Amino acid sequence: MIGFRNTHNQPIYVNRAQVLYVTTFEEDVSVIALAVAGSGGKPVTVHVRGSVELVASKLSAPPAPAAVPAR
């Protein structure tokens, strides 16, 4: 799960495997379309803070290694 802030400054988390596309909404706000059907069968979208380049780079970055519990 990748963390973002929505346009109301609330944290949201996106599963990168469900992202269909990222596009510009307005300056420093991007739209992420998810492979989840909403009403009318259209993809669910979320508006997040950040340029398309920033959002896309966060989504394409390799996942962080899982923490291994100490023994």
Side-chain angles (χ1 to χ4, degrees):
M1 300 293 266
I2 308 298
F4 294 96
R5 291 265 178 199
N6 68 10
T7 54
H8 298 289
N9 210 30
Q10 299 167 324
I12 64 165
Y13 297 91
V14 174
N15 180 345
R16 74 175 84 219
Q18 293 181 329
V19 174
L20 292 176
Y21 63 87
V22 179
T23 190
T24 301
F25 179 70
E26 59 186 32
E27 186 177 348
D28 294 326
V29 176
S30 297
V31 176
I32 301 174
L34 303 172
V36 177
S39 61
K42 294 184 179 183
V44 171
T45 59
V46 291
H47 292 72
V48 297
R49 295 183 180 272
S51 67
V52 169
E53 293 81 13
L54 174 68
V55 172
S57 70
K58 284 180 75 170
L59 289 168
S60 66
V68 177
R71 293 184 182 202

